[in-house]
Amino acid sequence: MKDITLKEIATKLGISITTVSKALKNYPDVSAKTKQAVIDLAQNLHYTPNSFAVNLRTKESKTIGLIIPEVVHHFFSNVINAIIDEAEKNGYLVIILQSNESLALEKKQVELLIKKRVDGIIISLSNESNNDDHLKEIITRNIPFVMFDKINKLISCSKVIIDDQKAAFNAIQHLIDNNCKKIVHIRGPLNPQNSIDRYIGYKKALEKNNIPFDTKLVYTCETVTFQEGVDFAKQIIKDHPDVDGIFAVTDLVAVGVLSYFNDNNIKVPGQVAVIGFSNWFMSQVLTPKLSTIDQPSHEMGIESFNLLLEEMNCHKEGIPFKPRTIELETNIIIRESSIKNNPIN
Amino acid sequence: MKDITLKEIATKLGISITTVSKALKNYPDVSAKTKQAVIDLAQNLHYTPNSFAVNLRTKESKTIGLIIPEVVHHFFSNVINAIIDEAEKNGYLVIILQSNESLALEKKQVELLIKKRVDGIIISLSNESNNDDHLKEIITRNIPFVMFDKINKLISCSKVIIDDQKAAFNAIQHLIDNNCKKIVHIRGPLNPQNSIDRYIGYKKALEKNNIPFDTKLVYTCETVTFQEGVDFAKQIIKDHPDVDGIFAVTDLVAVGVLSYFNDNNIKVPGQVAVIGFSNWFMSQVLTPKLSTIDQPSHEMGIESFNLLLEEMNCHKEGIPFKPRTIELETNIIIRESSIKNNPIN
DNA sequence: TTGTATGCGTTATCAT
DNA sequence: ATGATAACGCATACAA
């Protein structure tokens, strides 16, 4: 099946390429019957504009790039879902790339997208990301750019975030309200802003309740995996047999903790209350059901794309765009794993 | 930051565009020093070929399209992960689109990818997909095309699948070996080949063991969701109080069943043994841990891309390509939910 | 209302 | 070894 071009249609109709082009784009300066003839023939021949040529002419690809740490992740896959759909509604396609939590890969992916000349880039940083060069490059090249969730405060671009400090504070306050006296925090890696903020929220809540902060009660994830949760659970019980509350940086790790405790007959919440972060789907089907913080992943995706879209539109029109930061609300979801005064325990 | 073109480099060096182009592509007929001068300047200026122009000239975009029912799905996100990485290794980027299990959307997504002129398409069909036109269109246009997991037998293209019949047969045989006499099958929707095959496997296993097949013991999913599992569990217990085994078409549904049983004090596996399909991550952290069939999602992604790559290469060279079907092995994963003679029950 | 001419940036053919 | 020229398919300023 040969590709149909404007030229073919023009030749077949005995008119110029220009007129065909104008007719198809519904320009006002084409006579009604010419327009109709062109449209009819184009339809007959299943004409499709050659997007490569259109890209070259218009200098836009109607494609955006999305870089996330990994697809197989409840939170990120939800964001992806939202971004893809929202982009499509607005005529954009999405190229997805993973950094696998590696800075080197993240840099490579940024480079690939720049070379690809996507119209805009949305990114959630990897845990290793402590170097700005590749991000600055995006700014320098004047490519519309949005960061979400795992952001870099120092880069001037639009951002979509939550108040991690406040959310973590609420989680800890909830544990304290449920009679937890010795609360361990399994924190995220040292670099990411959100794991820093959750850690600060933990400290602030202790302080507010006059509970002395103890660095020995803080464990730091490297891989942020289920297995790490299992391993930390074991270690924590060994180090602090009297621990009565655990706040994990994310549900996946909390699930590891729960799994170890279940397998070793340590009662949750009876002996130790547990709360996670992010509200992964599985949290609601575990035994006991895991308390957590709900993060509006879908909304985050939608807002991220729309911020990018706004910037892409300004970019096209040559209008200056002022980056904005959108902060979305979180909700604490109290289930079974954190309620000490629950009669069933 | 202005875009650097071949022309700029040529002008700055006082040579022709042609020579610059050749030098950068390491053609043999350029003098060593000219070549070096060009390469140096290009590097200095951060020259990047304009991919739009390259696409137009070469008629390929080094981009493939991937259509799946939904991203937020343990199996599919694993396949996506593999395809993205494998594609990148081979110099391809991936545009991802979701059909949301809707035939209409699936058709639209295929159309979008064709218009985008991707170099190839990988698809896993939606549950509604019973119409071939859009798939035939891909074949007609001679676009390299691979289907995986949820395929259409009637379309002649490369496929990557598992033996759903055999896997389901094994699951049922396992239940029977564990003293299940009255086994319910919660099957998938009527269209998809894999839900048909799992259903056939169920029937064959019963037959082999001289257990009469009873249509009343078959429940058919529409949405294939957690909630549907919950609802069916309730209905099943009401319809058949003496049910002692359940085989669900996929883990998500099995988890719904488990959740209902847990909440209503119906013992698994004591009263009812349960087995799922696909080995979702959460299955191993539930109480009781869910038995299931492991599907090689990662391998499936890799094989799918490589089949596509092979076809794309043939396509480029003008060599005819003969579609192949790759069948991957599955494993039955026996955990707690299906072992009736387990001493702890 | 229609058409001519030009350029987007690259690649490839064919002279020189 | 180097370069002039055309072509990929489309969009648009400008001329007729």
Side-chain angles (χ1 to χ4, degrees):
Chain A
M1 195 197 225
K2 213 181 132 300
D3 276 351
I4 306 300
T5 66
L6 291 183
K7 195 162 144 190
E8 309 244 353
I9 298 179
T11 311
K12 281 213 165 70
L13 252 39
I15 59 180
S16 78
I17 296 177
T18 308
T19 306
V20 174
S21 174
K22 284 178 177 167
L24 289 173
K25 309 203 81 191
N26 206 24
Y27 273 47
D29 59 348
V30 181
S31 77
K33 53 174 148 333
T34 314
K35 192 177 291 184
Q36 199 51 54
V38 170
I39 291 172
D40 287 350
L41 185 58
Q43 210 146 43
N44 260 323
L45 265 36
H46 297 103
Y47 168 74
T48 306
N50 181 313
S51 67
F52 299 158
V54 175
N55 291 345
L56 181 58
R57 269 303 316 222
T58 61
K59 297 185 184 306
E60 56 173 10
S61 58
K62 288 288 182 180
T63 304
I64 66 165
L66 171 59
I67 302 174
I68 40 135
E70 44 183 335
V71 174
V72 186
H73 189 288
H74 189 260
F75 172 71
F76 289 123
S77 62
N78 270 289
V79 177
I80 291 173
N81 172 39
I83 290 180
I84 289 181
D85 287 357
E86 194 68 11
E88 181 171 353
K89 274 185 207 153
N90 290 277
Y92 284 83
L93 294 177
V94 184
I95 290 173
I96 296 174
L97 253 21
Q98 312 184 87
S99 65
N100 287 325
E101 301 288 8
S102 141
L103 174 60
L105 249 183
E106 184 179 292
K107 283 173 178 287
K108 186 186 167 200
Q109 314 299 36
V110 167
E111 197 186 333
L112 277 176
L113 291 178
I114 290 177
K115 283 194 178 150
K116 187 72 180 179
R117 280 180 154 71
V118 292
D119 296 342
I121 295 176
I122 298 178
I123 194 169
S124 189
L125 299 179
S126 77
N127 287 335
E128 275 189 3
S129 194
N130 57 357
N131 169 312
D132 302 7
D133 297 352
H134 55 309
L135 307 176
K136 286 191 182 133
E137 175 78 6
I138 300 176
I139 307 282
T140 307
R141 288 189 180 253
N142 202 21
I143 299 171
F145 183 34
V146 173
M147 293 182 13
F148 74 90
D149 193 49
K150 297 171 75 181
I151 63 157
N152 179 325
K153 278 184 171 175
L154 304 175
I155 299 288
S156 163
C157 69
S158 289
K159 304 182 181 91
V160 181
I161 52 173
I162 58 170
D163 188 338
D164 284 285
Q165 276 192 35
K166 191 171 87 182
F169 183 98
N170 291 341
I172 299 301
Q173 186 63 54
H174 163 68
L175 290 182
I176 293 172
D177 292 345
N178 275 269
N179 299 317
C180 293
K181 314 282 185 206
K182 188 159 188 173
I183 303 172
V184 159
H185 177 32
I186 304 179
R187 63 161 292 172
L190 299 176
N191 270 321
Q193 189 60 50
N194 58 1
S195 79
I196 293 171
D197 284 332
R198 289 173 202 179
Y199 171 66
I200 293 176
Y202 162 76
K203 282 173 71 169
K204 282 194 176 165
L206 294 184
E207 190 178 349
K208 169 92 180 300
N209 290 271
N210 299 311
I211 300 178
F213 168 71
D214 179 357
T215 51
K216 291 202 189 65
L217 294 179
V218 177
Y219 291 74
T220 305
C221 285
E222 287 182 16
T223 57
V224 199
T225 52
F226 169 76
Q227 189 56 46
E228 213 169 24
V230 172
D231 296 342
F232 275 138
K234 188 174 179 182
Q235 190 62 41
I236 288 166
I237 286 295
K238 206 166 139 197
D239 295 347
H240 313 283
D242 56 339
V243 60
D244 59 6
I246 295 181
F247 166 49
V249 64
T250 186
D251 275 12
L252 186 57
V253 174
V255 170
V257 170
L258 236 51
S259 179
Y260 178 82
F261 285 174
N262 280 342
D263 288 350
N264 290 274
N265 208 27
I266 292 165
K267 297 299 178 201
V268 176
Q271 180 175 342
V272 188
V274 177
I275 188 165
F277 202 110
S278 247
N279 195 21
W280 287 42
F281 172 79
M282 69 175 125
S283 304
Q284 64 191 277
V285 296
L286 296 173
T287 310
K289 298 183 172 70
L290 179 67
S291 296
T292 188
I293 302 288
D294 188 54
Q295 233 176 328
S297 50
H298 198 261
E299 205 182 342
M300 226 162 183
I302 292 181
E303 296 291 353
S304 296
F305 178 79
N306 283 320
L307 271 179
L308 189 72
L309 181 60
E310 231 182 278
E311 186 171 354
M312 290 190 296
N313 285 337
C314 285
H315 183 258
K316 210 171 1 177
E317 312 285 341
I319 302 168
F321 175 80
K322 204 169 165 307
R324 286 208 311 282
T325 294
I326 294 180
E327 189 178 285
L328 299 174
E329 288 300 315
T330 56
N331 281 305
I332 185 166
I333 311 270
I334 298 167
R335 298 201 183 100
E336 298 164 357
S337 70
S338 63
I339 307 190
K340 290 243 180 188
N341 45 8
N342 188 321
I344 67 168
N345 292 287
Chain B
M1 195 197 224
K2 215 180 132 296
D3 275 352
I4 306 299
T5 65
L6 291 183
K7 193 161 144 191
E8 310 243 352
I9 298 179
T11 310
K12 281 212 165 67
L13 251 39
I15 59 180
S16 78
I17 296 177
T18 308
T19 307
V20 175
S21 175
K22 283 178 179 169
L24 288 173
K25 310 202 85 192
N26 206 23
Y27 271 49
D29 58 349
V30 181
S31 77
K33 54 173 151 323
T34 314
K35 195 178 288 184
Q36 200 51 56
V38 169
I39 290 172
D40 287 350
L41 185 57
Q43 212 147 42
N44 260 323
L45 266 35
H46 297 104
Y47 168 75
T48 307
N50 181 314
S51 67
F52 299 158
V54 175
N55 290 345
L56 181 60
R57 271 304 313 220
T58 62
K59 296 185 185 306
E60 56 174 8
S61 58
K62 288 290 184 179
T63 304
I64 67 164
L66 170 59
I67 301 175
I68 41 136
E70 42 183 336
V71 174
V72 186
H73 190 288
H74 188 260
F75 172 72
F76 288 123
S77 61
N78 270 290
V79 177
I80 292 174
N81 172 39
I83 291 181
I84 289 181
D85 287 356
E86 194 68 11
E88 181 170 353
K89 273 184 209 154
N90 290 277
Y92 284 84
L93 295 177
V94 185
I95 290 173
I96 297 174
L97 253 20
Q98 313 185 87
S99 65
N100 286 325
E101 301 287 9
S102 141
L103 174 60
L105 248 183
E106 183 178 295
K107 283 173 179 286
K108 186 186 167 199
Q109 314 299 36
V110 167
E111 199 186 333
L112 278 177
L113 291 178
I114 291 178
K115 284 196 178 149
K116 187 74 181 177
R117 280 178 153 72
V118 291
D119 297 342
I121 295 177
I122 299 178
I123 193 169
S124 188
L125 299 179
S126 77
N127 287 334
E128 275 187 4
S129 196
N130 56 358
N131 170 312
D132 302 6
D133 297 351
H134 55 310
L135 307 176
K136 286 191 182 133
E137 175 79 7
I138 299 176
I139 308 282
T140 307
R141 288 188 181 254
N142 202 23
I143 299 170
F145 183 34
V146 173
M147 295 184 6
F148 74 90
D149 192 50
K150 297 172 74 181
I151 64 157
N152 179 325
K153 279 185 171 173
L154 304 176
I155 300 288
S156 163
C157 68
S158 288
K159 302 180 182 95
V160 181
I161 52 174
I162 58 170
D163 188 337
D164 284 286
Q165 275 190 38
K166 190 171 87 182
F169 183 99
N170 290 341
I172 299 301
Q173 186 63 54
H174 164 68
L175 290 181
I176 292 171
D177 291 345
N178 275 270
N179 299 317
C180 291
K181 313 283 184 206
K182 187 159 189 172
I183 302 173
V184 159
H185 177 33
I186 303 180
R187 63 162 291 170
L190 300 175
N191 270 321
Q193 189 62 48
N194 58 0
S195 79
I196 293 171
D197 284 332
R198 289 174 201 179
Y199 170 67
I200 293 175
Y202 162 77
K203 282 173 72 170
K204 283 193 175 164
L206 293 184
E207 192 179 348
K208 169 95 180 302
N209 290 272
N210 299 311
I211 299 179
F213 168 71
D214 179 357
T215 51
K216 290 203 189 65
L217 294 180
V218 177
Y219 291 74
T220 305
C221 284
E222 288 183 16
T223 56
V224 201
T225 52
F226 169 76
Q227 188 55 47
E228 213 169 25
V230 172
D231 296 342
F232 275 138
K234 187 174 179 182
Q235 189 63 41
I236 289 166
I237 286 295
K238 203 166 141 196
D239 295 347
H240 312 284
D242 56 339
V243 60
D244 59 5
I246 296 181
F247 166 48
V249 65
T250 186
D251 277 11
L252 186 56
V253 173
V255 170
V257 170
L258 237 51
S259 179
Y260 178 82
F261 285 175
N262 280 342
D263 288 349
N264 291 273
N265 208 26
I266 293 165
K267 298 297 179 203
V268 177
Q271 180 175 343
V272 189
V274 177
I275 188 165
F277 203 110
S278 247
N279 195 20
W280 286 42
F281 172 79
M282 70 176 125
S283 304
Q284 65 190 279
V285 296
L286 295 174
T287 312
K289 297 184 171 69
L290 180 67
S291 295
T292 187
I293 303 288
D294 187 54
Q295 235 176 326
S297 50
H298 198 260
E299 205 183 343
M300 225 163 185
I302 291 181
E303 296 291 353
S304 296
F305 179 79
N306 284 321
L307 271 179
L308 189 73
L309 181 61
E310 231 183 277
E311 186 170 353
M312 290 190 297
N313 286 337
C314 285
H315 183 259
K316 211 174 353 181
E317 312 285 341
I319 304 168
F321 176 81
K322 204 169 166 306
R324 288 207 312 281
T325 293
I326 295 180
E327 190 178 284
L328 300 175
E329 288 300 313
T330 56
N331 281 304
I332 184 164
I333 310 269
I334 298 168
R335 298 201 183 99
E336 298 165 356
S337 70
S338 63
I339 307 190
K340 289 243 180 188
N341 45 7
N342 185 322
I344 66 165
N345 294 287

